[in-house]
Amino acid sequence: MKIDYDLLRYILIRIENISDGKSHIRAVNLVPKEKRQNKEYMKTVSYHVCFLIDAKYITGSKKYWYNPYFSDITPKGHEFLSAIREDSIWHEVKDKIGISLCDKGLSFVFDVAMKIGQSIILKGLTPG
């Protein structure tokens, strides 16, 4: 399955909003109720949650890969989310890398997002 970076971003934002850092929350809780009957979408979300666990961006378990659980975002995940949270930065990252991020690695997307964010901050600090 190809990685959908928009979905990864959505998942991280949702986890940040619903996690208390202790509870085990199933991937199904990330999916809007109207989409929970769509088995392909559920499989895609589960795959992406497992991917984020493997990448150490979230803590959780893949014991039940079809509905893994998570507890929280790791410091590495928070750093990535901070870099891509703002819509304007995210759109610029996608514009710079290309419409499809599928063939890019997560660390590459993270590096581009960090550079764009730093550039925006530095522009704001420059007098004039």
Side-chain angles (χ1 to χ4, degrees), residues 3-93:
I3 299 301
D4 178 339
Y5 287 94
D6 286 318
L7 182 56
L8 288 181
R9 179 176 178 258
Y10 169 81
I11 289 170
L12 286 170
I13 290 169
R14 285 281 296 141
I15 290 173
E16 182 180 57
N17 289 331
I18 66 174
S19 172
D20 64 7
K22 298 176 274 188
S23 302
H24 293 163
I25 303 168
R26 292 281 174 197
V28 69
N29 293 311
L30 298 170
V31 178
K33 288 181 182 173
E34 64 274 5
K35 289 188 174 184
R36 290 183 185 172
Q37 297 304 317
N38 182 333
K39 289 182 181 181
E40 284 305 309
Y41 186 72
M42 287 300 302
K43 185 165 50 168
T44 299
V45 170
S46 292
Y47 179 86
H48 283 72
V49 168
C50 288
F51 178 84
L52 288 168
I53 292 169
D54 286 343
K56 301 195 182 333
Y57 280 54
I58 62 174
T59 57
S61 173
K62 304 182 319 175
K63 182 177 179 180
Y64 302 104
W65 65 267
Y66 51 87
N67 193 10
Y69 72 79
F70 58 88
S71 298
D72 204 2
I73 301 174
T74 65
K76 184 178 177 181
H78 277 291
E79 189 176 10
F80 181 66
L81 182 56
S82 292
I84 63 169
R85 175 178 289 121
E86 295 300 319
D87 288 340
S88 59
I89 292 174
W90 182 238
H91 293 299
E92 193 168 337
V93 168

